[in-house]
Amino acid sequence: MIHRLSLPGLNAQSARLLLFNAIFSIALFGLVDVLLNFYFVSLGYSKESIGILQSLPRVGGLIAAALVVPLTSRVSARTVLIWTTIGMAVAQGAIVLVPTTAAIAISRAALGLFFGIQQIAINPVALALVSAQHQSRVFAYISMTSNVAGSLGGLIGGFMPAWIAFLFPSLAVFADLPASQTPFAYGLSIFIASVVTGLAVIPILRLAIPPDAAIGAGEKRVTGKVPWRTLLPRGIPMLFFGVTGGLTFPFYNLFFRGVYDASDSAVGTILSLGFFAMAFPVMFGPQLERRFGRSRSLLFATSSAALCFVGLSIAPSLPVAIACFVSAISLRNIVNGTYPPMLMEGLAPQARNAASSLGFLAWNIGWLTGTSLGGFIVARVGYNLMLQGVAVGVFLIGFSAWWIFRGVPEPSLEQQAGGALAVSPAEP
């Protein structure tokens, strides 16, 4: 039962939010992530076209960050979470029901719009549901839940097209493609995932959120000049974080299939393993901070991740590639736990809100750039050189953060435990 959960910092209401996040992540970050590119390939799209389609959600995200949030500052946070999740489910299912290029493009942009609003809304909700001393724990639970659930979804997603082809052999026929690689098999799998996405709202229908947890809560109560000259450089690490994510996460499935001839089920298992591994290194962030300090620990983590991306680019076999892949994305994910508090460190409350929006915008712009160019880069120079470029970008996340904050005093452990945090945009 939810009310009997005894994890530190977890109460009945925050447990409902975690359950919502788990179901949502299984569907959107697990099932769909594994299958979406394969579905586009089965419809005849090229790598360049897939890159463009994968970039469109970030266009919607930019709209969410720049326009929608200021207009919805008085909306109930629970209502926002419910309707944006339903909106994502409808947008994802639409690419199957109406598989034309125009409809797919509109649906992908709409998905990004709803996702962007949801990601902005969930931060004040998570903060409002727990006491200040447990905020960092709950954000860690959210990050771990997303990755573990995404891992489970990816594992299931790799096998779903084969199951559907087995259950509907007469329908899964398309030209010379194997039955499990047809638009029908992939499309029905994605549609089922969309239904699961919609069902994620069930745990939060009874979510009791304090009234001041609306989007943008507090922005109208605190006034003052926002120090943009201080804030703008702080968006640079998030820009690199977005670019490197956009160049890789939408294309990992095609990478393992194209370079190592891995089957759909093998790709699903590999991505599932990667998601699962990403869940835990973020918990080591506080230990690294105690030893090296925030900025140096982040530089250490991203430098190590960069070396793993170089290893992935030259891996001679699938087992070596899997080891490099898991290590690279796990170390890179430490950014999710380490950089958000750095982003808002030492700022007045109104500047923290601006910094959070700036980070989200920078990440969206970076991801949009990465996914837009990823397909063209792969088609022209191949995966190896692209991954080596990603290695440079991952190193620059930590280096730019270290450079920007090298003269800023770091908070004590007590301040870190009690301070306000923000959740980085979930990836992918």
Side-chain angles (χ1 to χ4, degrees):
M1 296 292 292
I2 289 176
H3 65 277
R4 293 180 181 175
L5 289 173
S6 57
L7 287 173
L10 197 65
N11 54 40
Q13 297 302 321
S14 57
R16 289 189 174 95
L17 186 67
L18 286 184
L19 182 57
F20 156 78
N21 188 56
I23 299 172
F24 173 81
S25 297
I26 285 175
L28 198 69
F29 297 149
L31 296 171
V32 175
D33 263 6
V34 171
L35 301 174
L36 187 60
N37 281 350
F38 295 159
Y39 175 62
F40 289 150
V41 169
S42 73
L43 292 176
Y45 289 100
S46 66
K47 291 184 178 70
E48 294 91 337
S49 299
I50 291 173
I52 296 297
L53 292 175
Q54 287 282 21
S55 73
L56 292 175
R58 302 289 80 81
V59 176
L62 289 173
I63 297 172
L67 297 178
V68 176
V69 176
L71 296 175
T72 55
S73 60
R74 298 183 183 277
V75 176
S76 160
R78 181 181 62 184
T79 300
V80 170
L81 291 179
I82 290 172
W83 285 108
T84 53
T85 303
I86 293 174
M88 280 185 278
V90 173
Q92 195 68 71
I95 70 172
V96 178
L97 298 177
V98 190
T100 64
T101 300
I104 290 174
I106 294 171
S107 297
R108 296 293 290 158
L111 178 76
L113 174 65
F114 293 127
F115 179 74
I117 300 172
Q118 187 208 66
Q119 289 298 294
I120 295 171
I122 203 169
N123 283 350
V125 171
L127 286 172
L129 294 179
V130 296
S131 57
Q133 66 268 29
H134 291 307
Q135 288 171 357
S136 59
R137 287 184 181 274
V138 170
F139 283 125
Y141 295 153
I142 290 174
S143 177
M144 291 182 67
T145 299
S146 296
N147 287 291
V148 173
S151 171
L152 177 60
L155 184 64
I156 296 171
F159 291 94
M160 279 187 70
W163 295 339
I164 289 172
F166 176 78
L167 292 173
F168 304 98
S170 62
L171 297 177
V173 176
F174 187 82
D176 296 325
L177 291 175
S180 62
Q181 297 181 9
T182 60
F184 174 79
Y186 289 134
L188 183 55
S189 300
I190 290 172
F191 187 81
I192 292 172
S194 302
V195 174
V196 175
T197 300
L199 293 176
V201 303
I202 293 175
I204 59 172
L205 291 176
R206 297 173 57 199
L207 194 64
I209 304 174
D212 61 351
I215 298 177
E219 291 184 22
K220 294 186 178 181
R221 293 194 296 269
V222 181
T223 59
K225 186 176 180 180
V226 175
W228 288 110
R229 290 182 63 182
T230 300
L231 289 186
L232 289 177
R234 296 188 180 200
I236 294 174
M238 290 303 294
L239 183 66
F240 286 124
F241 193 51
V243 169
T244 55
L247 283 171
T248 52
F249 279 96
F251 301 102
Y252 280 132
N253 48 8
L254 295 179
F255 167 73
F256 284 108
R257 177 194 272 186
V259 176
Y260 298 101
D261 198 28
S263 65
D264 290 359
S265 57
V267 170
T269 302
I270 294 167
L271 297 186
S272 172
L273 179 63
F275 270 111
F276 187 78
M278 284 172 63
F280 303 102
V282 69
M283 301 298 292
F284 299 137
Q287 285 73 28
L288 289 173
E289 290 176 25
R290 290 187 184 98
R291 186 173 182 84
F292 304 107
R294 269 183 181 166
S295 58
R296 286 192 294 273
S297 67
L298 185 61
L299 179 57
F300 174 79
T302 57
S303 298
S304 301
L307 291 175
C308 294
F309 275 108
V310 172
L312 180 59
S313 73
I314 59 176
S317 63
L318 182 59
V320 175
I322 294 172
C324 290
F325 163 71
V326 171
S327 300
I329 65 174
S330 298
L331 289 166
R332 178 183 173 276
N333 198 48
I334 290 177
V335 176
N336 269 327
T338 302
Y339 191 68
M342 291 176 65
L343 179 65
M344 297 188 294
E345 188 58 49
L347 300 175
Q350 75 275 12
R352 289 177 186 171
N353 292 331
S356 181
S357 297
L358 173 67
F360 186 77
L361 262 173
W363 176 80
N364 267 284
I365 292 171
W367 193 285
L368 173 63
T369 302
T371 49
S372 298
L373 298 178
F376 293 94
I377 293 173
V378 168
R380 284 157 179 77
V381 304
Y383 288 106
N384 291 352
L385 284 177
M386 185 191 75
L387 287 170
Q388 290 165 18
V390 167
V392 175
V394 169
F395 168 76
L396 289 175
I397 298 171
F399 180 79
S400 61
W402 170 80
W403 182 263
I404 292 164
F405 290 91
R406 68 192 186 282
V408 178
E410 297 193 353
S412 66
L413 294 176
E414 290 78 12
Q415 289 173 319
Q416 291 180 33
L421 299 177
V423 177
S424 288
E427 289 190 2

